[in-house]
Amino acid sequence: MAESTVIDPTKLTPTSIEVMANQATINIGTIGHVAHGKSTLVKALSGVNTVRFKNELERNITIKLGYANAKIYKCSNSECPRPGCFKSFSSDKAVEFPCERSGCGGQMHLLRHVSFVDCPGHDVLMATMLNGAAVMDAAMLLVAANEMCPQPQTSEHLAAVETMKLENVIILQNKVDLIREEQALKHYEQIQNFVKGTIADQSPIIPISAQLKFNIEAVVEYIYRNIPVPVRDFTSDPYLIVIRSFDVNKPGFEVDQLKGGVAGGSILRGVIKLGDMIEVRPGIVKVDSNSNKIRVQPLRSRVITLNADQNPLQFAVPGGLIGVGTLLDPTLCRGDKLVGSVLGTVGSLPKVVVEVEIKYFLLRRLLGVVSEGKKQAKITKLDKNEGLLVNVGSSSVGARVVGVKDTLAKLVLAKATCTENGESIALSRRIDRHWRLIGWAKIVKGKAIKLEEE
């Protein structure tokens, strides 16, 4: 059994070396159209291939959310030329080591430890991308230089991070090795025109080739200089959004070798320590066949292991992607079954709801769809009884509109969801057999379900 770890959260900061040495403290998403080089960029920065599953490898696209950690370093020698003095390595690299440039003599010092959330670019997987946006602190928008800008999901992904109130975006003009200089300049102007009036209006545009690792050091420098580490709350009760969950047991394991399920996600606030008692909500949800009443039973366990990539942790802080090893039945965690749940201290998590009142804001035009005319289709107001897809945290939930008045609406959710008042959610509507982003909303209040105790 894991012993409870004693730490003083008030003395920790996201840039403390004892924190950064083992765990990422900032989440950066890679967004953009399908096949524009998001996973290739993450591999160039971290050395980790986020395309892991058989069907992803066969089709060469990202389907589930990918994740990888990287450490960012700078050489201590002031004579070491920019941007080559900035480097990124995998998360198991030492805190300090000699600079690799011949004759330099400087030491590479750790500046940042970053988690990359690699989002799928395919239009069918828009809901998965929105789930990833829930844990992002900043985003890198990839635009392939050998295609016109914007492509459908380029604009849809940028609108998605705007709805999630992300302020820090870096634009990467990828695949510049495939075009001539004058084409690159023309494409650069297309990107500038596309981002006018958006959150990315003042964002730097960096020409790169992720495949050839060309100009990657410049990307590393811009991540350090342009993306500040967010202010983190280390003292509140822990609150982790689950974006992946696993059964780590292999076929043929003996009974005494079996391990509990693992929940992977990002801590939004608080510190999780080894040995802590935690709760997962909503947990097990059943519908009573006689009364049609929803029964919700949260899951409880003790934290057995904490991991960030390959690094074992004694405690985990906000930011970065963390694997929490528990004593939960592994079948409850297998195949991402816990995705959309939240994890935290017993009794401290928000209520579980199936009915919410929202204040909504719609986009002016429909993005991500190639319409017949030049103009993008206008988005109509919400109708009573229409079906929507709602992204609450990392959960994609079907919802039915049961009431609309001005910019207020009442939704009945298809499944029980753990959320708090004031949380931002994304709204999608089914258009041409695909879910398309139409706007965002804030939860005003929710109708709580009484939880069953174990």
Side-chain angles (χ1 to χ4, degrees):
M1 183 68 73
E3 297 266 325
S4 190
T5 307
V6 181
I7 56 157
D8 183 0
T10 57
K11 292 184 178 167
L12 296 174
T13 69
T15 50
S16 307
I17 288 295
E18 64 264 35
V19 172
M20 281 202 303
N22 297 312
Q23 188 202 322
T25 53
I26 182 167
N27 294 324
I28 300 176
T30 55
I31 60 172
H33 195 68
V34 64
H36 276 205
K38 296 179 291 297
S39 302
T40 311
L41 172 74
V42 172
K43 190 177 180 184
L45 287 164
S46 67
V48 177
N49 187 6
T50 56
V51 181
R52 294 183 170 105
F53 293 86
K54 188 185 173 195
N55 54 346
E56 291 182 318
L57 293 164
E58 282 172 355
R59 296 169 65 186
N60 197 27
I61 61 167
T62 302
I63 295 172
K64 291 174 182 271
L65 284 173
Y67 49 90
N69 289 359
K71 285 178 174 172
I72 289 175
Y73 296 83
K74 187 187 178 191
C75 180
S76 59
N77 184 357
S78 57
E79 302 293 310
C80 202
R82 291 179 49 239
C85 59
F86 288 89
K87 294 277 183 192
S88 66
F89 294 92
S90 61
S91 62
D92 53 2
K93 194 81 173 169
V95 172
E96 208 173 279
F97 57 92
C99 180
E100 294 171 348
R101 192 172 70 93
S102 62
C104 175
Q107 287 284 315
M108 298 299 278
H109 291 294
L110 179 63
L111 300 174
R112 293 276 187 278
H113 196 163
V114 179
S115 260
F116 293 106
V117 183
D118 185 24
C119 293
H122 203 285
D123 66 335
V124 178
L125 303 165
M126 191 63 202
T128 308
M129 182 268 154
L130 289 166
N131 291 349
V135 297
M136 288 180 200
D137 300 309
M140 294 191 290
L141 174 66
L142 275 93
V143 186
N146 61 339
E147 292 182 22
M148 285 282 289
C149 175
Q151 290 292 311
Q153 269 57 58
T154 310
S155 48
E156 195 170 20
H157 281 202
L158 185 60
V161 296
E162 265 191 294
T163 64
M164 293 299 177
K165 298 284 178 281
L166 283 194
E167 290 173 1
N168 298 300
V169 178
I170 292 176
I171 302 164
L172 304 177
Q173 185 187 21
N174 192 21
K175 307 191 185 184
V176 290
D177 54 313
L178 301 181
I179 57 169
R180 296 173 193 273
E181 188 180 343
E182 58 270 20
Q183 289 173 290
L185 290 167
K186 196 176 169 189
H187 189 262
Y188 176 82
E189 285 169 15
Q190 285 178 6
I191 297 172
Q192 282 184 315
N193 293 332
F194 160 59
V195 297
K196 251 183 205 151
T198 69
I199 47 159
D201 203 339
Q202 300 300 313
S203 297
I205 303 171
I206 309 168
I208 64 162
S209 169
Q211 191 74 51
L212 303 179
K213 297 189 180 178
F214 165 71
N215 225 15
I216 293 298
E217 289 91 351
V219 178
V220 174
E221 181 178 350
Y222 270 95
I223 289 172
Y224 171 63
R225 296 199 189 281
N226 287 44
I227 300 177
V229 175
V231 176
R232 301 291 192 194
D233 177 359
F234 286 74
T235 53
S236 295
D237 288 317
Y239 183 91
L240 177 141
I241 289 184
V242 181
I243 62 168
R244 300 292 301 273
S245 70
F246 316 93
D247 170 7
V248 293
N249 299 299
K250 292 189 169 62
F253 266 23
E254 297 295 330
V255 173
D256 58 347
Q257 292 177 293
L258 291 176
K259 292 180 177 136
V262 176
S266 192
I267 303 174
L268 296 192
R269 56 179 180 264
V271 177
I272 295 176
K273 305 183 289 295
L274 280 182
D276 280 1
M277 278 301 294
I278 50 115
E279 182 175 63
V280 178
R281 289 188 185 181
I284 298 171
V285 181
K286 292 177 182 170
V287 179
D288 195 304
S289 53
N290 298 323
S291 63
N292 226 18
K293 189 181 166 191
I294 296 172
R295 296 166 59 191
V296 176
Q297 186 183 335
L299 302 168
R300 288 181 184 172
S301 174
R302 195 172 287 281
V303 177
I304 301 302
T305 59
L306 286 168
N307 284 78
D309 242 8
Q310 303 302 315
N311 302 331
L313 307 173
Q314 293 294 308
F315 60 89
V317 302
L321 299 171
I322 305 297
V324 182
T326 67
L327 290 171
L328 293 173
D329 183 340
T331 57
L332 295 172
C333 304
R334 183 176 296 161
D336 289 336
K337 280 184 187 169
L338 290 186
V339 168
S341 306
V342 294
L343 180 153
T345 313
V346 176
S348 71
L349 292 172
K351 58 197 176 198
V352 176
V353 299
V354 284
E355 208 173 275
V356 290
E357 287 179 28
I358 60 168
K359 185 175 174 62
Y360 70 89
F361 310 87
L362 298 180
L363 301 171
R364 284 195 295 275
R365 300 267 169 207
L366 190 63
L367 304 168
V369 178
V370 183
S371 41
E372 285 175 25
K374 290 257 176 161
K375 273 195 168 183
Q376 291 161 315
K378 216 171 178 189
I379 293 170
T380 55
K381 286 189 173 180
L382 299 186
D383 291 325
K384 196 175 175 182
N385 290 325
E386 84 163 302
L388 297 174
L389 184 72
V390 178
N391 285 82
V392 186
S394 64
S395 171
S396 302
V397 189
R400 188 166 51 85
V401 181
V402 291
V404 187
K405 188 181 179 185
D406 297 328
T407 57
L408 296 173
K410 196 174 191 179
L411 308 179
V412 173
L413 305 177
K415 66 179 183 184
T417 305
C418 185
T419 185
E420 52 196 342
N421 294 347
E423 188 171 343
S424 290
I425 63 173
L427 305 175
S428 302
R429 181 181 271 157
R430 202 165 180 82
I431 295 162
D432 295 337
R433 295 181 300 168
H434 295 321
W435 292 107
R436 298 267 70 94
L437 181 70
I438 60 162
W440 66 283
K442 264 200 171 5
I443 294 175
V444 179
K445 64 177 180 181
K447 187 179 173 185
I449 299 173
K450 194 170 184 292
L451 304 177
E452 293 185 4
E453 294 300 316
E454 283 184 284

